[in-house]
DNA sequence: ACGCCGCACTTCGTTTTTACAAGCATGTTC
DNA sequence: GAACATGCTTGTAAAAACGAAGTGCGGCGT
């Protein structure tokens, strides 16, 4: 399996890259992510579990039953790929 | 819709980025792409149509009933995002 | 102390996407 | 002119995503 395919295996699922992108703004809670992205709540829960398992993000326990999701070092390393993709997307829209 | 979401709208579908990656090696025919990627033939046909519609690639008629698929300028601009993603994927595998 | 609220998910039924297998049209080879 | 290669299309089943509703749990107000 190529390195690209390996990356897409983790990030190719729907919402995955958008979740990481959102977390580049800093740690956020479940509800915040949900509202910011507009993703179905069950999908978000699944993606967060997968991304945690892949070592891209981690859960930080806050008070009582709330936690924050934050990117790990490996997750933060996605800043460049994401920026490159965003630039590409921007070049197709301006008009 | 954010620029990132716009990019993923085109490239987020399964096989899409892998097709573009494969074409970074130069124009190729349908069968070559199919064998190189191992993608289901109906999916490949659909993605190629979508990517052409999005201006990422174009069909070059060759002899008789064969044609080659080649990246447009917009498609070639995906080299950097793809390389960045590949690098990220490689950083997670080495061991 | 009891009910109510917000948060973080689950569960369920439906729709959309993907996969696998087979078939078809056109042109080329022998 | 029969067999074969190329580039798809069609049909059906499995998997993934969606949308709405429900669950568990701790805090808060009264």
């Amino acid at each position: 399996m190529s390195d690209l395919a390996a990356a897409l295996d983790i990030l190719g699922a729907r919402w995955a890259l958008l979740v990481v992108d959102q977390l580049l703004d800093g740690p956020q809670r479940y509800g915040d992510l949900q509202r910011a992205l507009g993703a179905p709540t069950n999908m978000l829960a699944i993606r967060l579990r997968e991304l945690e398992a892949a070592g891209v993000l981690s859960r930080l326990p806050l008070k009582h039953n709330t936690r924050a999701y934050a990117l790990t070092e490996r997750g933060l390393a996605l800043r460049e790929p994401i920026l490159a993709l965003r630039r590409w997307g921007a070049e197709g829209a301006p008009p």
Side-chain angles (χ1 to χ4, degrees), chain A residues 6-51:
Chain A
L8 291 176
D9 207 51
I10 297 170
L11 305 167
R14 202 164 285 178
W15 300 109
L17 256 189
L18 292 170
V19 166
V20 175
D21 180 55
Q22 187 64 30
L23 288 177
L24 284 174
D25 289 349
Q28 290 176 56
R29 288 173 308 158
Y30 187 94
D32 296 333
L33 284 170
Q34 216 265 73
R35 276 181 293 276
L37 298 174
T41 179
N42 51 353
M43 285 296 102
L44 184 56
I46 290 170
R47 290 287 99 87
L48 288 171
R49 249 180 283 147
E50 294 172 346
L51 289 172

Side-chain angles (χ1 to χ4, degrees), chain A residues 54-85:
Chain A
V56 171
L57 55 81
S58 62
R59 281 172 226 257
L60 308 177
L62 295 186
K63 314 282 174 152
H64 56 285
N65 66 338
T66 71
R67 31 198 154 291
Y69 291 89
L71 294 179
T72 61
E73 194 168 335
R74 180 141 179 73
L76 288 168
L78 280 165
R79 176 168 263 126
E80 282 313 319
I82 286 175
L83 283 176
L85 257 180

